[in-house]
Amino acid sequence: TFTVWQRNFRWDSHAPENGFTREEMVDRKWDEHNTLAQELDQQSRSGDPDAEGIIWPNVAEVSLLGAIGCGSALLRLVIETLEAGSQYDYLVVQATDNSVPFYEHFGFIR
């Protein structure tokens, strides 16, 4: 379950805080029209950022799996398990710059 402890968190690939320019995103898979961001922003959430955090119960989060040798197999298993039926409608990752191509290979977009 995806959880944040920031009051001002928002799903937005165009936000200046993401640290990328449009030119840098030319060869990347990203939410160019912010459609995915808008869908994620519409998901139910609850909680307190000063306590348990703000929780998106229908958004699953995967920790870093790239560069550990078995990350592809683990991520495939997670994706297959979630697609087979779960409470989650979305799967998100917090990728390092070096792991972005790994996740893009599986269809993740920024």
Side-chain angles (χ1 to χ4, degrees), residues 6-7 10 17 21 29 31 38 40-41 44 55-58 77-79 86 90-91 95-96 102 105-107:
Q6 298 173 330
R7 289 186 185 284
R10 64 182 178 158
E17 297 85 4
T21 64
K29 294 180 180 179
D31 188 19
Q38 291 170 5
L40 286 164
D41 196 48
S44 65
I55 302 164
W56 274 260
N58 294 24
L77 179 62
V78 167
I79 292 170
S86 73
Y90 296 89
L91 176 61
T96 63
F102 170 80
H105 173 77
F106 286 93

Side-chain angles (χ1 to χ4, degrees), residues 1-2 5 8 11 14 18 22 28-29 31 34 38 42 48 58 67 72 74 76 89-91 95 102 104 109:
T1 301
F2 182 72
W5 287 267
N8 60 348
W11 304 98
H14 295 266
N18 78 18
R22 278 189 169 269
R28 294 280 179 215
K29 294 180 180 179
D31 188 19
N34 251 6
Q38 291 170 5
Q42 296 300 312
D48 180 355
N58 294 24
S72 291
L74 288 172
R76 271 192 213 98
D89 297 321
Y90 296 89
L91 176 61
F102 170 80
E104 285 180 342
I109 61 173

Side-chain angles (χ1 to χ4, degrees), residues 32-43:
E32 185 174 3
H33 303 290
N34 251 6
T35 306
L36 178 59
Q38 291 170 5
E39 289 177 23
L40 286 164
D41 196 48
Q42 296 300 312
Q43 296 300 302

